[in-house]
Each structure stands twice: as C-alpha cells, then as structure tokens.
Amino acid sequence: MNIAPGKTEASGIPFDQARVDRLMEEAGIDVLFATSKHNTQYLLGGYKFIFFAAMDAIGHSRYLPIVLYEKGGPEHAAYIGNKMEGGEHENHPFWTPTLHAACWGTLDAANLAVEHLQKIGKQAARIGIEPAFLPSDAYSLIRKALPDAKLIDATGMLARMRAIKTEAELEKLRTASELITDSMLATIAWAREGTTKTDIIEQLRREETNRGAHFEYCLLTLGASHNRAASSQAWKQGEVLSIDSGGNYHGYIGDLCRMGILGEPDAELEDLLSEVESVQQAAFSKVKAGTLGGDMIAHAESVLKASKVAAFTDFFAHGMGLITHEAPFLMTNHPVTYEGTYAAKPLEKNMVLSVETTMLHPTRGFIKLEDTVAVTDTGYAMFGDRGRGWNRGGVA
C-alpha cells in the first residue's frame, strides 16, 4: 500500500514535533530513520504490530519496521512495515502521509526507505540511524544506495526524545506498575510451603496476564540463596522471598520488587528491610524537578555508606519507559553498560525513575525494594506504592 504524501487520513502527529525537531537540530540530523520497536512505537503514537510482538525472525530474514521523519517536514513522513499491516491501517490509520505495508524482510524494507528518501530529495541528507537496531544487510544496502548521505548515530537523540513522558504515557506506566504490584502480592499470598520457584514464577505470569499486563520476566529468590533463576527449590517455613518482575501495559514497563515471608518476620528481618527502606527514602527525598540527577544518587549512596549493611548492599536508579533502562541515565556502568550522562543534568518534570536498593545478606538472603516514581515540580509521584513491607505467604 502506498498513500501519496498529503493524502493521509490520520488525525495528526502523535508526538511533540517542535521538541523532536529541536533535538534533531542539536544532533545534526535532517531525517530520522527509526528501526527499533520502541522508537517506531513512540513515533507512531503507541502502535506496535502484534504479529511480531514476541519475535522478529521470519523465513530467511526478519521484521524491520521503519519510521522515516524529516525535521520540519511531517508531510514527508513514512512508515514502512510488513505486508499484513495494511489491515492495521484500514482499521486504525497511521498518521504518516506515506505508508508502505509491503515487506517481508530487511532488504525490501531498506529498499523502500531508500526510494522514499530519494523521492523527497533527501538522498544526501544527514540521516539519523539506530546502529544497534539496523541489521548489517540493510545498513550495507543503504550505504551503497546513498553514497552522498551521512549516517549519524541517533541513539542518544532518540533517548532524549522519550525521556519526558506525556500524561498518557505516565498513565500507562502507572497502570503497568499497579498491575505488577497487585500480581506480585497475590502471588506471594498464593505461594506456600513446598511451592517451587518455577511454580511461583508461573503463577505470577498468570496473575499478570489475567490483569491485562504482558508478562516479561520474574527474578525470584527463596531463603538464604541469592540465585534468582527458576528452579525446583521450594519455599520453606520462616524463609524470605524476593520477587522482582517486569511486565508491560501497552508497551510501557512496570518493574518493581517486593518481599515475602512464610510465617512472621523476626526482629532481624524487620531491621534489615528498614535499612533498605531508609536508602529508598533518602533517594525519594531528592527527587524533584530541578534537582541534579547526580545529587539524588549521591545522597542515597551517602545514607547507604553510613548504614550497617553497606558492605553487602547496593543502590541503583535508572530511567523507565518503553524500555527498562532509558533516559535519564544517572549512573555509569552500574550495572548496565552505559554512561551516566544525566548525572550532571537536572531532573525534569515527567521523567520516570526506577529506584532500587539490593541487599545480598550473607545468611538471611536477598532483600530488595524497587519502586517506580515520576518526577513532579514539587517532588515525585510513586506508582504501585503498596506491599513495601513484609508480605505473608500462604494466606490466600
């Protein structure tokens, strides 16, 4: 399907065009060539093709969605997708004036992208690409077909684009967090003595799915173990449980961690979780629009350093949105490999953060809280703010 420029039936651009144009200008980009699922979803206003939601490979190639957007020229925007996406357009038209729902692999998609750039006179433009999400065969084709174009890494620019959430995005992140929290608490209450890690993870998957979330993973520990992989290990009376799950709601991630106990927590366990909570609260106290990201990190780390559990406890904070680690990037290589480029920048309203404190206690096990907060003008709004103490197992 090919809809000529200016003939779209869509209702409008689903992102802040002025902001995206400004970010492109700062990055020296004339045309965006977005190929990752998260950035094409963002630029299409939340759309992701369900057929390839859990996979990319098909035949001898793979699905390669492409959104082409010219700075200051939305009338020249195009979406290049799979042949089956013509039906999606019939039901819910894409906003882009040009649509090519015609591809089955990477090369035919790249060819159509090249043809579109030539048609709009941008064959020698500065093209912003996603190197980590552009297959080598498609890259080689583009490089050969457009010898006068300059290909620029747009990864950072696109991350900045997504950093400030709209109210609709915040609502999806809030919903994702609420659904994940509800699912984890229900799963802890359901599990009992003898229930295995594999069984608990499967129950969580059902709880999240039944609530309308898309389950992605569960990291689970029982007892004194720090191993978070699925296994036949069974929960025993008096043991702790940590349940850390990521799932999404309409593509937006919920990622939280809560603690369980089979029985009643003793005084030591109450004390250990309160140490974790103290570090979390220290971080929250510095979350506010205008505060330097690095200052929030430094304050939480200073509270942790003074704690009696500092030797086996770690603090971490990262951005959240369509992916689990995105802007603002607050810490360098801790643990995910990226630079903490936002540490020296102020937090901005509607950024979303995951704040987590993890204790690897030598005898009592894995004790952790992970929370999701949205930055506001006066502080923060917490999503999924329940079950942050010791939750009893075997009570459902």
Side-chain angles (χ1 to χ4, degrees):
M1 180 184 299
N2 181 13
I3 299 175
K7 299 298 184 180
T8 183
E9 297 177 25
S11 59
I13 302 169
F15 52 84
D16 185 340
Q17 182 192 345
R19 184 167 178 270
V20 172
D21 287 349
R22 175 175 56 79
L23 291 171
M24 291 175 68
E25 178 66 26
E26 292 172 358
I29 294 170
D30 300 316
V31 181
L32 273 179
F33 191 104
T35 50
S36 64
K37 285 182 179 178
H38 51 282
N39 282 319
T40 56
Q41 180 178 359
Y42 184 90
L43 292 167
L44 291 174
Y47 167 79
K48 182 167 64 175
F49 187 29
I50 190 172
F51 188 83
F52 291 103
M55 62 173 182
D56 293 322
I58 188 165
H60 293 299
S61 189
R62 55 156 288 182
Y63 175 59
L64 185 65
I66 303 174
V67 173
L68 294 170
Y69 172 74
E70 179 187 354
K71 179 182 63 183
E75 69 277 10
H76 292 155
Y79 176 53
I80 296 167
N82 180 266
K83 189 173 184 179
M84 291 184 286
E85 290 180 85
E88 301 283 334
H89 175 74
E90 290 176 10
N91 295 338
H92 304 286
F94 300 111
W95 75 269
T96 57
T98 298
L99 168 67
H100 293 286
C103 304
W104 286 105
T106 57
L107 295 180
D108 47 356
N111 261 318
L112 285 170
V114 167
E115 290 175 5
H116 183 76
L117 289 173
Q118 292 170 333
K119 184 175 181 179
I120 64 174
K122 292 295 178 179
Q123 60 268 37
R126 299 171 298 176
I127 302 170
I129 64 170
E130 298 186 74
F133 297 93
L134 182 59
S136 60
D137 58 353
Y139 175 88
S140 297
L141 186 154
I142 294 163
R143 182 70 285 171
K144 183 177 180 179
L146 302 173
D148 297 325
K150 182 178 181 181
L151 302 186
I152 297 172
D153 186 346
T155 303
M157 175 259 139
L158 291 165
R160 291 190 294 275
M161 174 186 73
R162 303 193 317 275
I164 310 299
K165 273 57 179 180
T166 64
E167 293 302 318
E169 288 181 291
L170 289 177
E171 180 60 22
K172 289 175 183 177
L173 284 160
R174 184 197 65 77
T175 300
S177 300
E178 299 289 342
L179 295 177
I180 299 304
T181 301
D182 288 346
S183 298
M184 292 194 296
L185 297 182
T187 299
I188 293 171
W190 167 88
R192 56 202 67 245
E193 187 166 16
T195 308
T196 69
K197 291 175 73 177
T198 299
D199 291 338
I200 295 170
I201 292 169
E202 175 58 21
Q203 180 66 19
L204 180 66
R205 184 194 64 77
R206 287 193 292 265
E207 294 283 355
E208 292 184 10
T209 301
N210 289 343
R211 285 173 169 80
H214 179 80
F215 175 81
E216 294 194 356
Y217 65 84
C218 175
L219 304 172
L220 184 75
T221 69
L222 297 176
S225 174
H226 299 159
N227 186 314
R228 298 204 285 171
S231 74
S232 60
Q233 180 186 358
W235 204 6
K236 298 178 182 178
Q237 189 69 22
E239 288 187 337
V240 305
L241 168 154
S242 75
I243 188 165
D244 185 334
S245 181
N248 78 69
Y249 179 76
H250 294 263
Y252 286 82
I253 303 296
D255 181 16
L256 303 100
C257 185
R258 295 293 182 258
M259 297 301 302
I261 179 78
L262 200 55
E264 293 297 321
D266 56 34
E268 182 184 34
L269 286 177
E270 293 279 17
D271 184 53
L272 292 173
L273 190 55
S274 71
E275 293 286 340
V276 170
E277 173 73 346
S278 294
V279 179
Q280 291 289 99
Q281 292 298 330
F284 300 154
S285 72
K286 296 297 182 181
V287 176
K288 178 183 177 181
T291 300
L292 294 183
D295 287 350
M296 182 269 284
I297 299 294
H299 182 60
E301 289 182 328
S302 70
V303 171
L304 174 57
K305 186 177 180 180
S307 169
K308 59 188 176 183
V309 301
F312 41 81
T313 305
D314 181 67
F315 172 77
F316 182 47
H318 57 89
M320 290 280 295
L322 282 167
I323 60 177
T324 55
H325 286 257
E326 64 176 39
F329 302 108
L330 300 170
M331 305 177 76
T332 297
N333 300 337
H334 188 111
V336 182
T337 305
Y338 50 70
E339 296 296 317
T341 51
Y342 278 75
K345 299 177 181 179
L347 297 174
E348 297 182 58
K349 181 182 177 181
N350 288 9
M351 284 182 168
V352 177
L353 310 176
S354 174
V355 179
E356 49 188 293
T357 303
T358 304
M359 179 189 301
L360 303 181
H361 194 277
T363 60
R364 303 311 301 267
F366 193 102
I367 300 175
K368 174 179 179 178
L369 289 175
E370 182 174 10
D371 298 294
T372 299
V373 298
V375 180
T376 69
D377 285 330
T378 57
Y380 63 92
M382 186 178 289
F383 300 156
D385 185 20
R386 294 182 306 289
R388 303 181 68 257
W390 287 105
N391 301 287
R392 277 58 172 179
V395 297

